Amino acid sequence: MLPDRCSMAEGGRRCQNPPEFVLSVVSDGAEYMVGVACRAHRGAVSDRIGALQEEGRLGRGSVSISPVRAVGTDCIRACPDDGCC
């Protein structure tokens, strides 16, 4: 599951926009998701990841930005009345 809001926070307030991009770090053949961003904050979140890498607080590797893709499934049912719970 993804967070329902952008990872960017400004002035102590978190961005209310839904995520449009997944930002991850690719290192040694593995990929690690580190945040999500809306279109307006995609660059700022990417810059923050780079700054955290420079400080040694986040692993080294290249930053990958991928668009969020909606996936539908019929195996998860949200209605408690359908008898699946």
Coordinates of all heavy atoms in Angstrom, one line a residue:
M1 N 0.8 -1.2 0.0 CA 0.0 0.0 0.0 C 0.9 1.2 0.0 O 1.9 1.3 0.6 CB -0.9 0.0 1.2 CG -2.0 -1.1 1.2 SD -3.2 -0.9 2.5 CE -3.8 0.7 2.3
L2 N 0.4 2.3 -0.7 CA 1.1 3.5 -0.7 C 0.5 4.5 0.3 O -0.7 4.5 0.5 CB 1.0 4.1 -2.1 CG 1.8 3.4 -3.2 CD1 1.5 4.1 -4.5 CD2 3.3 3.5 -2.9
P3 N 1.3 5.5 0.7 CA 0.7 6.6 1.5 C -0.4 7.3 0.6 O -0.3 7.3 -0.6 CB 1.8 7.5 1.8 CG 3.1 6.7 1.6 CD 2.7 5.6 0.6
D4 N -1.4 7.9 1.3 CA -2.4 8.6 0.5 C -2.1 10.0 0.2 O -2.9 10.7 -0.4 CB -3.8 8.5 1.3 CG -3.7 9.2 2.6 OD1 -2.6 9.5 3.1 OD2 -4.8 9.4 3.2
R5 N -1.0 10.5 0.7 CA -0.6 11.9 0.4 C 0.9 12.0 0.1 O 1.7 11.1 0.4 CB -0.8 12.8 1.7 CG -2.2 12.9 2.1 CD -2.4 13.8 3.2 NE -3.8 13.9 3.6 CZ -4.2 13.6 4.8 NH1 -3.4 13.3 5.7 NH2 -5.5 13.7 5.1
C6 N 1.3 13.1 -0.6 CA 2.6 13.4 -1.0 C 3.5 13.4 0.3 O 3.1 13.8 1.4 CB 2.6 14.8 -1.6 SG 4.3 15.4 -2.0
S7 N 4.8 13.0 0.2 CA 5.7 12.9 1.3 C 6.3 14.3 1.7 O 6.9 14.4 2.8 CB 6.9 12.0 1.0 OG 6.5 10.7 0.7
M8 N 6.1 15.3 0.9 CA 6.6 16.6 1.2 C 5.9 17.4 2.3 O 4.7 17.3 2.4 CB 6.5 17.5 -0.1 CG 7.2 18.8 0.0 SD 9.0 18.5 0.2 CE 9.6 20.2 0.2
A9 N 6.7 18.0 3.2 CA 6.1 18.8 4.2 C 6.8 20.2 4.2 O 8.0 20.3 4.0 CB 6.3 18.2 5.6
E10 N 6.0 21.2 4.3 CA 6.5 22.6 4.3 C 5.9 23.3 5.5 O 4.7 23.3 5.7 CB 6.1 23.3 3.0 CG 6.7 22.7 1.8 CD 6.3 23.4 0.5 OE1 5.0 23.5 0.3 OE2 7.1 23.7 -0.3
G11 N 6.7 24.0 6.2 CA 6.3 24.8 7.4 C 5.5 23.9 8.4 O 4.6 24.4 9.0
G12 N 6.0 22.7 8.5 CA 5.3 21.8 9.5 C 4.0 21.1 9.0 O 3.4 20.4 9.7
R13 N 3.6 21.5 7.8 CA 2.3 20.9 7.3 C 2.6 20.0 6.1 O 3.3 20.4 5.2 CB 1.4 22.0 6.8 CG 1.0 22.9 8.0 CD -0.1 23.8 7.7 NE -1.2 23.1 7.1 CZ -2.2 23.6 6.5 NH1 -2.3 24.9 6.3 NH2 -3.2 22.9 6.0
R14 N 2.1 18.8 6.1 CA 2.3 17.9 5.0 C 1.4 18.2 3.8 O 0.2 18.7 4.0 CB 1.9 16.5 5.5 CG 2.3 15.4 4.6 CD 2.3 14.1 5.3 NE 2.4 13.1 4.3 CZ 2.0 11.8 4.4 NH1 1.4 11.5 5.5 NH2 2.1 11.0 3.5
C15 N 1.9 18.1 2.7 CA 1.2 18.3 1.4 C -0.1 17.4 1.4 O 0.0 16.2 1.7 CB 2.1 18.0 0.2 SG 1.3 18.2 -1.4
Q16 N -1.2 18.0 1.0 CA -2.4 17.3 0.9 C -2.7 16.6 -0.4 O -3.7 15.9 -0.6 CB -3.6 18.2 1.3 CG -3.5 18.8 2.7 CD -3.6 17.7 3.7 OE1 -4.5 17.0 3.7 NE2 -2.6 17.7 4.6
N17 N -1.8 16.8 -1.4 CA -2.1 16.2 -2.7 C -1.8 14.7 -2.7 O -1.0 14.2 -2.0 CB -1.1 16.9 -3.7 CG -1.5 18.3 -4.0 OD1 -2.6 18.8 -3.8 ND2 -0.4 19.1 -4.3
P18 N -2.6 14.0 -3.5 CA -2.3 12.6 -3.6 C -1.0 12.3 -4.4 O -0.5 13.1 -5.2 CB -3.5 12.1 -4.5 CG -4.0 13.2 -5.3 CD -3.7 14.4 -4.4
P19 N -0.4 11.1 -4.1 CA 0.9 10.8 -4.8 C 0.6 10.5 -6.3 O -0.3 9.9 -6.7 CB 1.4 9.6 -4.1 CG 0.1 9.0 -3.5 CD -0.8 10.1 -3.2
E20 N 1.6 11.0 -7.1 CA 1.6 10.8 -8.5 C 2.8 10.0 -8.9 O 2.9 9.4 -10.0 CB 1.5 12.1 -9.3 CG 0.2 12.8 -9.1 CD 0.1 14.1 -9.9 OE1 0.3 14.0 -11.2 OE2 0.0 15.2 -9.3
F21 N 3.9 10.0 -8.1 CA 5.1 9.4 -8.4 C 5.7 8.6 -7.2 O 5.5 9.1 -6.0 CB 6.2 10.4 -8.8 CG 5.8 11.2 -10.0 CD1 5.1 12.4 -9.9 CD2 6.0 10.7 -11.3 CE1 4.8 13.1 -11.0 CE2 5.6 11.4 -12.4 CZ 5.0 12.6 -12.3
V22 N 6.3 7.5 -7.4 CA 7.0 6.8 -6.4 C 8.5 7.0 -6.6 O 9.0 6.9 -7.7 CB 6.8 5.2 -6.5 CG1 7.6 4.4 -5.6 CG2 5.3 4.9 -6.3
L23 N 9.2 7.5 -5.5 CA 10.6 7.7 -5.5 C 11.3 6.6 -4.8 O 10.9 6.3 -3.7 CB 10.9 9.1 -4.9 CG 10.5 10.2 -5.8 CD1 9.1 10.7 -5.5 CD2 11.4 11.4 -5.8
S24 N 12.3 6.0 -5.4 CA 13.0 4.9 -4.8 C 14.5 5.1 -5.1 O 14.9 5.9 -6.0 CB 12.5 3.6 -5.4 OG 12.6 3.6 -6.8
V25 N 15.3 4.3 -4.3 CA 16.8 4.3 -4.5 C 17.1 2.9 -5.1 O 16.7 1.9 -4.5 CB 17.5 4.6 -3.2 CG1 19.0 4.4 -3.3 CG2 17.2 6.0 -2.7
V26 N 17.9 2.9 -6.2 CA 18.3 1.7 -6.8 C 19.8 1.5 -6.5 O 20.6 2.4 -6.8 CB 18.1 1.7 -8.3 CG1 18.6 0.4 -8.9 CG2 16.6 2.0 -8.7
S27 N 20.1 0.4 -5.8 CA 21.5 0.2 -5.4 C 21.8 -1.3 -5.4 O 21.0 -2.1 -4.8 CB 21.7 0.8 -4.0 OG 23.0 0.5 -3.5
D28 N 22.9 -1.7 -6.0 CA 23.3 -3.1 -6.0 C 22.2 -4.1 -6.4 O 22.0 -5.1 -5.8 CB 23.8 -3.5 -4.6 CG 25.1 -2.7 -4.2 OD1 25.9 -2.4 -5.0 OD2 25.2 -2.5 -3.0
G29 N 21.5 -3.7 -7.4 CA 20.5 -4.6 -8.0 C 19.2 -4.6 -7.2 O 18.2 -5.3 -7.6
A30 N 19.1 -3.9 -6.1 CA 17.8 -3.8 -5.3 C 17.2 -2.4 -5.4 O 18.0 -1.4 -5.7 CB 18.1 -4.2 -3.9
E31 N 15.9 -2.3 -5.2 CA 15.3 -1.0 -5.3 C 14.5 -0.9 -4.0 O 13.7 -1.8 -3.6 CB 14.3 -1.0 -6.5 CG 13.7 0.4 -6.7 CD 13.0 0.5 -8.1 OE1 13.0 -0.5 -8.8 OE2 12.5 1.5 -8.4
Y32 N 14.6 0.3 -3.4 CA 14.0 0.6 -2.1 C 13.1 1.8 -2.2 O 13.6 2.9 -2.5 CB 15.0 0.8 -1.0 CG 16.0 -0.4 -0.9 CD1 17.2 -0.3 -1.6 CD2 15.6 -1.5 -0.2 CE1 18.1 -1.4 -1.5 CE2 16.5 -2.6 -0.1 CZ 17.7 -2.5 -0.8 OH 18.6 -3.6 -0.7
M33 N 11.8 1.7 -2.0 CA 10.9 2.9 -2.0 C 11.2 3.8 -0.8 O 11.3 3.3 0.3 CB 9.5 2.5 -2.0 CG 8.5 3.7 -2.2 SD 6.8 3.2 -2.1 CE 6.4 3.7 -0.4
V34 N 11.4 5.1 -1.1 CA 11.7 6.0 0.1 C 10.7 7.1 0.2 O 10.7 7.8 1.2 CB 13.1 6.6 0.0 CG1 14.1 5.5 0.2 CG2 13.3 7.3 -1.4
G35 N 9.8 7.3 -0.8 CA 8.8 8.3 -0.7 C 7.9 8.3 -1.9 O 8.1 7.7 -2.9
V36 N 6.8 9.1 -1.8 CA 5.9 9.4 -2.9 C 5.8 10.9 -3.0 O 5.9 11.6 -2.0 CB 4.5 8.7 -2.7 CG1 4.6 7.2 -2.7 CG2 3.9 9.2 -1.4
A37 N 5.4 11.4 -4.2 CA 5.3 12.8 -4.4 C 4.2 13.1 -5.4 O 3.9 12.4 -6.3 CB 6.7 13.3 -5.0
C38 N 3.7 14.3 -5.2 CA 2.8 14.9 -6.2 C 3.6 15.5 -7.3 O 4.8 15.6 -7.2 CB 1.8 15.9 -5.6 SG 2.6 17.4 -5.0
R39 N 2.9 16.0 -8.4 CA 3.7 16.6 -9.5 C 4.4 17.8 -9.1 O 5.6 18.0 -9.5 CB 2.7 16.9 -10.6 CG 3.4 17.4 -11.9 CD 2.4 17.4 -13.1 NE 1.7 16.2 -13.3 CZ 2.3 15.1 -14.0 NH1 3.5 15.2 -14.4 NH2 1.6 14.0 -14.2
A40 N 3.8 18.6 -8.2 CA 4.4 19.9 -7.8 C 5.7 19.7 -6.9 O 6.6 20.5 -6.9 CB 3.4 20.7 -7.0
H41 N 5.7 18.6 -6.2 CA 6.9 18.3 -5.3 C 7.8 17.3 -5.7 O 8.7 16.9 -5.0 CB 6.3 18.0 -3.9 CG 5.6 19.2 -3.2 ND1 4.3 19.1 -2.8 CD2 6.1 20.4 -3.0 CE1 4.0 20.3 -2.3 NE2 5.0 21.1 -2.4
R42 N 7.7 16.7 -6.9 CA 8.5 15.7 -7.4 C 10.0 16.0 -7.3 O 10.8 15.3 -6.8 CB 8.2 15.3 -8.8 CG 9.0 14.2 -9.4 CD 8.6 13.8 -10.8 NE 8.7 15.0 -11.7 CZ 8.4 15.0 -13.0 NH1 8.0 13.9 -13.5 NH2 8.6 16.0 -13.7
G43 N 10.4 17.2 -7.8 CA 11.8 17.6 -7.7 C 12.3 17.9 -6.3 O 13.4 17.5 -6.0
A44 N 11.4 18.5 -5.5 CA 11.8 18.8 -4.1 C 12.1 17.5 -3.3 O 13.1 17.4 -2.5 CB 10.8 19.6 -3.4
V45 N 11.2 16.5 -3.5 CA 11.4 15.2 -2.8 C 12.7 14.5 -3.3 O 13.5 14.0 -2.5 CB 10.2 14.3 -2.9 CG1 10.4 12.9 -2.3 CG2 9.0 15.0 -2.2
S46 N 12.9 14.6 -4.6 CA 14.1 14.0 -5.2 C 15.4 14.7 -4.6 O 16.4 14.0 -4.3 CB 14.1 14.1 -6.7 OG 15.2 13.5 -7.2
D47 N 15.3 16.0 -4.5 CA 16.5 16.8 -4.0 C 16.7 16.4 -2.5 O 17.8 16.3 -2.1 CB 16.2 18.3 -4.1 CG 16.2 18.8 -5.5 OD1 16.7 18.0 -6.4 OD2 15.8 19.9 -5.8
R48 N 15.6 16.2 -1.8 CA 15.8 15.8 -0.4 C 16.4 14.5 -0.2 O 17.2 14.2 0.7 CB 14.4 15.9 0.3 CG 14.4 15.5 1.8 CD 15.1 16.6 2.6 NE 15.1 16.2 4.0 CZ 16.1 16.3 4.8 NH1 17.2 16.9 4.4 NH2 16.0 15.9 6.1
I49 N 16.0 13.5 -1.1 CA 16.6 12.2 -1.0 C 18.1 12.3 -1.3 O 18.9 11.7 -0.6 CB 16.0 11.3 -2.1 CG1 14.5 11.0 -1.6 CG2 16.8 10.0 -2.3 CD1 13.7 10.2 -2.7
G50 N 18.5 13.2 -2.3 CA 19.9 13.4 -2.6 C 20.7 14.0 -1.4 O 21.8 13.6 -1.1
A51 N 20.0 14.9 -0.7 CA 20.6 15.5 0.5 C 20.8 14.5 1.6 O 21.9 14.5 2.3 CB 19.8 16.7 1.0
L52 N 19.8 13.6 1.8 CA 19.9 12.6 2.8 C 21.1 11.6 2.5 O 21.7 11.1 3.4 CB 18.6 11.9 3.0 CG 17.5 12.7 3.6 CD1 16.2 11.9 3.5 CD2 17.8 13.0 5.1
Q53 N 21.2 11.3 1.2 CA 22.3 10.4 0.8 C 23.7 11.1 1.1 O 24.6 10.4 1.5 CB 22.2 10.1 -0.7 CG 21.1 9.1 -1.0 CD 20.9 8.9 -2.5 OE1 21.1 9.8 -3.3 NE2 20.7 7.6 -2.8
E54 N 23.8 12.4 0.8 CA 25.1 13.1 1.1 C 25.4 13.1 2.6 O 26.5 13.1 2.9 CB 25.0 14.5 0.6 CG 25.0 14.7 -1.0 CD 26.3 14.2 -1.5 OE1 27.4 14.5 -1.0 OE2 26.3 13.5 -2.6
E55 N 24.4 13.2 3.4 CA 24.6 13.2 4.9 C 24.8 11.8 5.4 O 25.1 11.7 6.6 CB 23.3 13.8 5.6 CG 23.0 15.2 5.3 CD 21.7 15.7 5.8 OE1 21.0 14.9 6.6 OE2 21.3 16.8 5.5
G56 N 24.7 10.8 4.6 CA 24.9 9.4 5.0 C 23.7 8.9 5.8 O 23.8 7.8 6.4
R57 N 22.5 9.5 5.7 CA 21.3 9.1 6.4 C 20.5 8.1 5.5 O 19.5 7.5 6.0 CB 20.5 10.3 6.9 CG 21.3 11.1 7.9 CD 20.6 12.4 8.3 NE 19.3 12.1 8.8 CZ 18.4 13.1 9.0 NH1 18.7 14.3 8.7 NH2 17.2 12.8 9.5
L58 N 20.8 8.0 4.3 CA 20.1 7.2 3.3 C 21.2 6.5 2.4 O 22.2 7.2 2.1 CB 19.1 8.0 2.5 CG 18.1 7.3 1.6 CD1 17.2 6.5 2.5 CD2 17.3 8.3 0.8
G59 N 20.9 5.3 2.1 CA 21.9 4.5 1.3 C 22.2 5.2 0.0 O 21.4 5.8 -0.6
R60 N 23.4 4.9 -0.5 CA 23.8 5.4 -1.8 C 23.1 4.7 -2.9 O 22.7 3.5 -2.8 CB 25.3 5.3 -2.0 CG 26.1 6.1 -1.1 CD 26.2 7.5 -1.7 NE 27.0 8.4 -0.9 CZ 27.1 9.6 -1.0 NH1 26.4 10.2 -2.0 NH2 27.8 10.4 -0.3
G61 N 23.0 5.3 -4.1 CA 22.3 4.7 -5.2 C 21.7 5.7 -6.1 O 21.6 6.9 -5.7
S62 N 21.2 5.3 -7.2 CA 20.5 6.3 -8.1 C 19.0 6.4 -7.7 O 18.4 5.5 -7.3 CB 20.6 5.9 -9.5 OG 20.1 4.7 -9.7
V63 N 18.5 7.6 -7.8 CA 17.1 7.9 -7.5 C 16.3 7.6 -8.7 O 16.6 8.0 -9.8 CB 16.9 9.4 -7.1 CG1 15.4 9.6 -6.8 CG2 17.7 9.7 -5.8
S64 N 15.2 6.7 -8.5 CA 14.3 6.4 -9.6 C 13.0 7.0 -9.3 O 12.5 7.0 -8.2 CB 14.2 4.8 -9.6 OG 13.2 4.5 -10.6
I65 N 12.4 7.6 -10.4 CA 11.1 8.2 -10.2 C 10.1 7.5 -11.2 O 10.4 7.5 -12.4 CB 11.1 9.7 -10.5 CG1 12.1 10.4 -9.6 CG2 9.7 10.4 -10.4 CD1 12.4 11.9 -9.9
S66 N 9.1 6.9 -10.7 CA 8.2 6.1 -11.5 C 6.7 6.6 -11.3 O 6.4 6.9 -10.1 CB 8.2 4.7 -11.1 OG 9.5 4.1 -11.2
P67 N 5.9 6.8 -12.3 CA 4.5 7.2 -12.1 C 3.8 6.1 -11.3 O 4.0 4.9 -11.5 CB 4.0 7.4 -13.5 CG 4.9 6.6 -14.4 CD 6.2 6.5 -13.7
V68 N 2.8 6.6 -10.5 CA 1.9 5.7 -9.8 C 1.0 5.1 -10.8 O 0.4 5.8 -11.6 CB 1.2 6.4 -8.7 CG1 0.1 5.5 -8.1 CG2 2.1 6.8 -7.6
R69 N 0.8 3.8 -10.8 CA -0.2 3.1 -11.7 C -1.3 2.5 -10.9 O -1.0 1.8 -9.9 CB 0.5 2.1 -12.6 CG 1.5 2.7 -13.5 CD 2.2 1.6 -14.4 NE 3.0 0.7 -13.6 CZ 4.3 0.9 -13.3 NH1 4.9 1.9 -13.8 NH2 5.0 0.0 -12.6
A70 N -2.5 2.7 -11.3 CA -3.6 2.1 -10.6 C -3.7 0.7 -10.9 O -3.6 0.3 -12.1 CB -4.9 2.9 -10.9
V71 N -4.0 -0.2 -9.9 CA -4.2 -1.6 -10.1 C -5.5 -2.0 -9.5 O -5.8 -1.7 -8.4 CB -3.0 -2.4 -9.5 CG1 -3.2 -3.9 -9.6 CG2 -1.7 -2.0 -10.0
G72 N -6.3 -2.7 -10.3 CA -7.6 -3.1 -9.8 C -7.5 -4.6 -9.6 O -6.8 -5.4 -10.3
T73 N -8.3 -5.1 -8.6 CA -8.4 -6.5 -8.3 C -9.8 -6.8 -7.7 O -10.4 -5.9 -7.1 CB -7.3 -6.9 -7.3 OG1 -7.5 -8.3 -7.0 CG2 -7.4 -6.1 -6.0
D74 N -10.3 -8.0 -7.9 CA -11.6 -8.3 -7.4 C -11.4 -9.3 -6.2 O -12.4 -9.8 -5.7 CB -12.4 -9.0 -8.4 CG -11.9 -10.3 -9.0 OD1 -10.8 -10.6 -8.6 OD2 -12.6 -10.9 -9.8
C75 N -10.2 -9.5 -5.7 CA -10.0 -10.4 -4.6 C -10.0 -9.8 -3.2 O -10.1 -10.5 -2.2 CB -8.6 -11.2 -4.8 SG -7.2 -10.1 -4.7
I76 N -10.1 -8.5 -3.2 CA -10.2 -7.7 -1.9 C -11.6 -7.1 -1.9 O -11.9 -6.3 -2.7 CB -9.1 -6.7 -1.7 CG1 -7.7 -7.4 -1.7 CG2 -9.3 -5.9 -0.4 CD1 -6.6 -6.4 -1.7
R77 N -12.3 -7.4 -0.9 CA -13.7 -6.9 -0.7 C -13.8 -6.0 0.5 O -13.5 -6.4 1.6 CB -14.7 -8.0 -0.7 CG -14.6 -8.9 -2.0 CD -15.5 -10.1 -1.8 NE -15.2 -11.0 -2.9 CZ -16.0 -11.3 -3.9 NH1 -17.2 -10.8 -4.0 NH2 -15.6 -12.2 -4.8
A78 N -14.3 -4.8 0.3 CA -14.4 -3.9 1.4 C -15.8 -4.0 2.1 O -15.9 -3.4 3.2 CB -14.2 -2.5 0.8
C79 N -16.7 -4.6 1.6 CA -18.1 -4.6 2.2 C -18.2 -5.8 3.2 O -18.0 -7.0 2.8 CB -19.1 -4.8 1.1 SG -20.8 -4.9 1.7
P80 N -18.5 -5.5 4.4 CA -18.6 -6.6 5.4 C -19.8 -7.4 5.2 O -19.9 -8.5 5.8 CB -18.6 -5.8 6.8 CG -19.1 -4.5 6.4 CD -18.6 -4.2 5.0
D81 N -20.8 -7.0 4.4 CA -22.0 -7.7 4.2 C -21.9 -8.7 3.0 O -22.9 -9.4 2.8 CB -23.2 -6.7 3.8 CG -23.4 -5.8 5.0 OD1 -23.3 -6.2 6.2 OD2 -23.8 -4.7 4.7
D82 N -20.8 -8.8 2.4 CA -20.7 -9.8 1.2 C -20.3 -11.2 1.7 O -20.2 -12.1 0.8 CB -19.8 -9.2 0.2 CG -18.3 -9.1 0.6 OD1 -18.0 -9.6 1.7 OD2 -17.5 -8.5 -0.1
G83 N -20.1 -11.4 2.9 CA -19.9 -12.8 3.4 C -18.4 -13.2 3.4 O -18.1 -14.3 3.7
C84 N -17.5 -12.3 3.0 CA -16.1 -12.7 2.9 C -15.4 -12.6 4.2 O -14.3 -13.1 4.4 CB -15.4 -12.0 1.8 SG -15.1 -10.2 2.2
C85 N -15.9 -11.9 5.2 CA -15.2 -11.6 6.4 C -15.6 -12.6 7.5 O -16.7 -12.9 7.8 CB -15.5 -10.2 6.9 SG -14.8 -9.0 5.7

